[in-house]
Amino acid sequence: MNTKYSISIFLFFVALLFGGVYGQTTHYVTLHVNTEELQNNQNAAAVSYFTVDEATEVLNNDSPESFTILVNVGDNIVWNGLATAPSGEAVEIKKIKYKRGGRIFSNEDIEGEVSVSALVIRDSGDEGYIYTIQFWLGDSNRVYTIDPVIKTK
């Protein structure tokens, strides 16, 4: 058997093996907002917190501004909003906007209507990807922001 042919077959199977081990994961990040408190308090981080699904590793959850998740290049991230107040007012994630650090998405602004989804295409570097999550409450035109972090493995 030709050596080049054998090496090609070997590399093909190695690629299949690592493709299965390091396949794409979808990370679900939920922003929980006390909507009643937020209407009286302009600091969204003071009345909010994040949760994630079990597939997502959290590096820092001390506050919404320092909230940091760890993902792989090739992973997808989905941001959703949820009201914690009895009013049940909708928390709509409208935009993920680049602030500083390594640019990990294809665009600086990733937009959505109620939630936002983005594919990680680059490494974040040591500092991480610091971004602004912009959200609205229900039909309001007022924009609230929080600046969490994403780091890549």
Side-chain angles (χ1 to χ4, degrees), residues 54-120:
E54 61 187 43
T56 305
E57 182 178 349
V58 176
L59 298 178
N60 187 335
N61 201 10
D62 292 341
S63 73
E65 295 288 336
S66 64
F67 177 76
T68 306
I69 61 171
L70 185 63
V71 301
N72 287 307
V73 172
D75 287 355
N76 193 48
I77 304 171
V78 178
W79 291 267
N80 294 296
L82 188 63
T84 61
S87 68
E89 190 169 18
V91 177
E92 298 179 357
I93 309 297
K94 297 288 189 166
K95 186 183 289 188
I96 301 299
K97 185 174 180 63
Y98 171 78
K99 189 169 181 179
R100 71 177 184 276
R103 291 184 168 98
I104 64 173
F105 300 124
S106 60
N107 294 315
E108 289 192 3
D109 295 344
I110 312 292
E111 297 187 14
E113 289 298 317
V114 175
S115 66
V116 175
S117 177
L119 178 67
V120 178

Side-chain angles (χ1 to χ4, degrees), residues 22-44:
Y22 295 105
Q24 178 185 6
T25 300
T26 299
H27 302 274
Y28 295 94
V29 177
T30 302
L31 173 63
H32 300 265
V33 181
N34 183 328
T35 54
E36 290 175 0
E37 289 291 323
L38 183 58
Q39 291 173 359
N40 299 322
N41 182 342
Q42 305 312 312
N43 182 0

Side-chain angles (χ1 to χ4, degrees), residues 31 33 44-45 48 50 64-65 131-135 144-148:
L31 173 63
V33 181
S48 305
F50 287 99
E65 295 288 336
Y131 65 100
T132 299
I133 185 169
Q134 296 181 345
F135 64 96
Y144 298 95
T145 63
I146 297 176
D147 301 329

